[in-house]
Amino acid sequence: MEAAGLGLFMISAAVVTSAFEYPQSPLHDLVSDPTVRRILIGLAMGLTAIGLIYSPWGKRSGAHLNPAVTLTFFRLGKIKMADALWYVTAQFVGGTIGLCLAARILGLAIEHPSVNYVVTVPGTEGAGIAFAAETMISFGLMLVVLIVSNRPSLNRWTGVFAGALVATYIAVEAPLSGMSMNPARTFASALPAQLWTDYWLYLIAPLSGMLLAAECYVRTNGIHRVLCAKLHHHNNTRCIFHCHYMA
């Protein structure tokens, strides 16, 4: 489910980006302003994230879809080591397969420099700014997820908050780093594109930002206030985590 989830996210990213950025696409001509195109791509990807989180599979797996999220919950003691390793493996494999399937479907469109397999690379400000930006947005996402998902009265809205942040980050932050927050997402694009520019920062920055958010949350609220590792906890769906929600 984690593999399929990130795979579907990568297919959506490739299709939506090609639709708006490929010069021969009708949408590219229809929406001439690159900022507006980026906002629309952000909205589409935010809705994709929301759909995956609230899908039956997302409710069952927890919809991490990101090694940095999984490893942060492992650090918080909510997921067993074996499960964390399988989650991370599935995320890398699923994301890569999804992007490769999208490439087969899209053909020349995804290879065009304007799309380039939806790679995430530092913007013109350089790797240092990209690292800081990736750390900051990852910190923000994880902190919001922890705050919302661990409050029973708000838990049902975790996916909406997460999707809204994804949309906002793509619209605002993408020019700085490409907006990854996800080592598996960046790997999935870098492999077929054979473009590994500053890949190290996409491994380190998302995890650093999310671990820092977890540390801040725990120091403020206590470890007992981390109830589960699911982004959307559904009591009628099996939970494999060290869960404090009552069934």
Side-chain angles (χ1 to χ4, degrees), residues 155-170:
N155 178 272
R156 68 175 68 90
W157 301 106
T158 306
V160 174
F161 277 89
L165 283 177
V166 168
T168 302
Y169 288 163
I170 290 175

Side-chain angles (χ1 to χ4, degrees), residues 128-144 165 169 172-173 176-177 179 181 204-210 212-213:
I129 294 297
F131 185 92
E134 281 289 314
T135 302
M136 182 174 65
I137 62 176
S138 301
F139 175 91
L141 177 69
M142 194 68 208
L143 188 61
V144 168
L165 283 177
Y169 288 163
V172 176
E173 191 278 338
L176 300 178
S177 72
M179 212 304 281
M181 293 194 296
I204 299 172
L207 182 58
S208 298
M210 291 190 186
L212 181 60

